[in-house]
Amino acid sequence: MDLKDKLVSSFMAFEDGIDVNDPVHDIRSEAIKNFETKGFPSKKEEAWKYTSLNNLQKIDFSVFPKQESALEYKDIKKYFLHEIDTYKIVFVDGIYSSYLSETTHDGVDVCLMSSALTKPMYRQIIELYFNKIAKKEDSLTSLNTAFSKEGAYIYIPKNKAPRKPIQILHLATGNEASLMLQPRNLIIAEENAEVQVIERHQSLTSNEVFTNSVTEIFAAKDARVDYYKLQNDNANASLIDNTYIDQKDNSVVRVHTFSFGGKLTRNNLNYYQNGERIDSTLKGITILDGKQHVDHYTLVHHAQPNCESHQDYKGIYDGSSTGVFNGKILVDKIAQKTDAFQQNNNVLISDKATLNTKPQLEIFADDVKCSHGCTIGQLDEDALFYLQSRGIPKKEAGALLMYAFANNVLESVRIPELKARVNKLIANKLGVRLGFEL
Amino acid sequence: MAYTEEELKKELETKEYEYGFYTDIESDTLPKGLNEDIVKAISLKKNEPEWMTEWRLEAFRIWQEMEEPEWANVTYEKPDFQAISYYSAPNKKPKYESLDEVDPELLDTFKKLGISLDEQKKLAGVAVDVVMDSVSVATTFKKTLAEKGIIFCSISEAIQEHPDLVKKYIGSVVPQKDNFYAALNSAVFSDGSFCYIPKGVRCPMELSTYFRINQAGTGQFERTLVVADEGSYVSYLEGCTAPMRDENQLHAAVVELIALDDAEIKYSTVQNWFPGNKEGKGGVFNFVTKRGLCENNAKISWTQVETGSAVTWKYPSCVLKGNNSIGEFYSIAVTNNYQQADTGTKMIHLGKNTKSTIISKGISAGKSQNSYRGLVQVNSRAENARNFSQCDSLLMGNECGAHTFPYIETKNKSAQIEHEATTSKIGEDQIFYCNQRGIDTEKAIALIVNGFSKEVLNKLPMEFAVEAQKLLEISLEGSVG
C-alpha cells in the first residue's frame, strides 16, 4: 500500500481516537478529502519541479507512534538553546513531553495545540484562527490539517510579551523503524504584542523520519513576531515545513531559516500582507553537503499599499547537495508604494553540487519598487590569496570568506545567544576551528 | 502644455493599429483542416522530394500525440486546428525578374508598410526576400550574394536546389518533437527563408525577410534556416506587420540558426503583428520557436523588438555547445491594451568558457500582461560558464502587469551567474529632474522611455533601428517623442 492510501485509511482510525463532535471535525474531513483527490505533489507541478517526494512515498512510515519513550534532559540538552532561560515545548515522537517542557499561562498562553483544540475556553480563538490562513487547496497542508492534533499553541494578548523566548523542539527517538510526524502550530500575537520563537526538528537516530509540519502565524496591528527555524537534522530526516503568516497594519514579522542538514527539506514560507505599512522579513542561510536537498519556496503577497518586504537567502553547496530557491513576490493592483526586495546569493563549492533558482516577480501595480538579484559564483581568488599571504591557512581563509558571505543574514537575529549558536554551527559546518569565536 | 503620464496612457489606449489593411490577391488555398492528406498535399504542391514528405508526416504523427502547452502566463481561446487552411500562395506565378512585373497591388501593400523594394535596393543595400503569405514572390540582390557563394532563397527553393544542406540541418536544432507548435510547423510549414554563408565569408549586407499574413483564415507557418559555415558572419533581419482582422490568426514559426566554428550570426526581429483592437478583440497568436546552435568560438546574438500580437509565446534560445561560444539576447517587449506577452530566452551552457548575456526590457501599458521567462542552464561539464541577466520592467498605469520568471539551474561550481530584475514606473523625481533643467514633461517621458530601451535599440542594425524606433513610437510613445 502506498503512503497516500495508508494515510487516507489511517484517517478513520485517527478520527476514532478523538471527539467527532469537535468543531474541527468538519475541517479535518474536508482536508482529508482534498488530500485524497490531490495526493502528494509530483515533479510535474511547477512548484515541485526541482523536488521529488517519490522516494519518501516508498517508505512504509508508521503514522501513529506505538510506544512512548522517555528521554533525559542531559541527553538532549545540546539541541536546546540552553545558554538562556526559555519556555520550552517539547514533543517526543509527536507526543508532548511535560517532563522536558516548560509552559505558561501567566498573562500569555504558551501551551499545547491539543488542549487548545479540545478545551472550551479556547474554542472562540480556534474558530477565529485555526486553519484560516493555511492554504486549503495545498495537498500537504490539507494532509497536516486532517491529522492536526498536537503542536505548539502560543497566544499573546494585546500589549503583552512573554518574559523569555519560546523554544519548540520536535524529537524523534527511532522507536519506530520509520515515523511520520505532523505537528501543527498556531501562533497569535494580538495588537502590539511581541514574541520570539525558535523551532527545531531533531531526529536522534538513523531511522527514517518524515515531518510534515504546518505553522500558522497571526500578527495583529503593531505586533512583532520573530520566528527562527533551525534545521540541522541527520541524513535520514526529511522535513516539509509549511508556514503561513497573516499580517495586519504596522506589524513586523521576521522569519530566519537556517538549513544546515537533513535528507530533504522543503520550506514553504507564505506571507500575506493584509494591512498597511507592514514589514516582512525573510532571511535564510543554507549550508549543505553530502546528498542533502533543501528547497526554499517563498511567497510574499502584497495585498495592501505602503508595505515592505525584504528577502535575503544565502547558500553554500558542497558535496553532491542540491539547493533550490523559488521566491515569488506578488503585488496586487491596489498595493501601490510597495517596496519589495529579494536577494539570493549562492556559492557552489563542489562539482557535483546543483543549484536551481527561480526568483519570480508578479506585479500588477505601477507605483512600486520591486527588485531582485540572484548570483551564483565562487570565492574570490584574490581575497583568498590576501588572507593566505597574511598567514591564514587556505581552508580557514575560505571559511572566513564564506562566513562573511553569510553574515548579513545574521545581523537581524535579535537573540545574541542564538546568533552565537548559529555562528558555531556555521564554523562546524565549514569544518574549521578558527581559535576564536566567529 | 504639460504632458502627463495620464495623457500618455490615454493616448496609448486610443492609438489604433496603423498598419491594418487588407490586400485582395487571389489565393491558391487548400481546404480547411489538417490530416495526413493535407500534409501530403502541401508537400506535393511544393513539389518536394520524398524524404521531405516523410519528414513532414513524421512531424504530423508526433504532433497528433502532443498536447497544447499550458504553462505560459497567457490566457487565450485555443485555436481550432481543423478550422485553419494550411496553405495559401499568391496566385500570380512565376517569379519575376524585375519589380515592374510584380502585381501592382502587392507593391502598393509594401508601400503602405514603408518597404519600398526599390528604395531598399538602392539606399539601404538590403536584400529582401519578401514572403507574402507563404510563397516568396520577390528576391533581390541574389546576384551580388551569389558571387560570394552565399545562398539566400526561400526554403522551398532550397529544398529543390540544395537538398543536401537542408536535409543535413533542418530539425537539427529544433527537432520535430521539440514542442507542440514546432511539431505543427514541421508538418505544415508553407515557406520561409534559407540562408547559407560559406566558410570564411562575411556577408556584405544585412539579409532581410518581411513576413506578412494576408489571407483570411490562413495560418502562417514559416520555417527559417540560417547556416553560417566556419568563420563566416551574417546579420539577418526579420520584420513583420499584419492586416487588421477580427478572428484570431495563428502564427507558429520555427527559426533554426546554426553557427559552426568561429562563425557569428546576428538575428534581429521587429515584430508588429496585429495586436487586436483596444477591446482586446482579434489579433495574432504568435507561438514561435527560435533556437540557435553555437559550435566552438561561435556567437549568436538575438535582438528583438516585440510590439505586436495579441498573444506572444516566444523564447529565442542559444545552445552553447562549443567551447568559448557566446550567446546574447536583447529584447524589448511592449504590450498595450489587452496584449499578452510571455517571452524570454534560454541559454544552455554545454561547452567550456561559454558566455551569455540577457538584457530584457518589458514595457506594459493599458490592461496588458508582460512576462519575462528565461532559463540559464549550466551543465556539469561547462567549466567557467558566465552569464549576466538583466530584466527591467516599466509599468504604465495600474491595470497592467509585469512578471518575471527566471529559471537558473547550475551543475558546475565554476559558473558565475548574475541575475537582476527591477520593476518601476516613470519616477516623479526623474520627470522633476528634467523639468528643472528646462525639458518639458512630454520630452522627459520620451527621453526616459527611450533611455529605458536604448540598451536594446543600440544592438539593432542601423537600417532596422530606425524602423524599430518608429514602431516603439506607434505602440507607446505616440506623439511624445
Side-chain angles (χ1 to χ4, degrees), chain A residues 61-100:
Chain A
F61 286 106
S62 37
V63 185
F64 312 115
K66 286 172 200 80
Q67 46 181 302
E68 282 186 46
S69 39
L71 289 171
E72 285 301 320
Y73 179 66
K74 63 175 173 35
D75 298 329
I76 53 159
K77 188 183 165 194
K78 61 175 178 179
Y79 301 121
F80 285 105
L81 184 65
H82 53 79
E83 295 86 352
I84 48 163
D85 192 17
T86 55
Y87 292 117
K88 300 174 191 71
I89 312 174
V90 183
F91 302 96
V92 179
D93 293 335
I95 296 162
Y96 174 64
S97 162
S98 58
Y99 172 64
L100 296 166

Side-chain angles (χ1 to χ4, degrees), chain B residues 233-263:
Chain B
Y233 168 86
V234 62
S235 170
Y236 193 92
L237 317 178
E238 171 204 62
C240 31
T241 56
M244 198 177 267
R245 281 288 158 66
D246 265 340
E247 84 229 57
N248 290 305
Q249 292 175 305
L250 179 66
H251 181 82
V254 171
V255 176
E256 291 178 281
L257 307 185
I258 294 126
L260 298 178
D261 291 359
D262 304 302

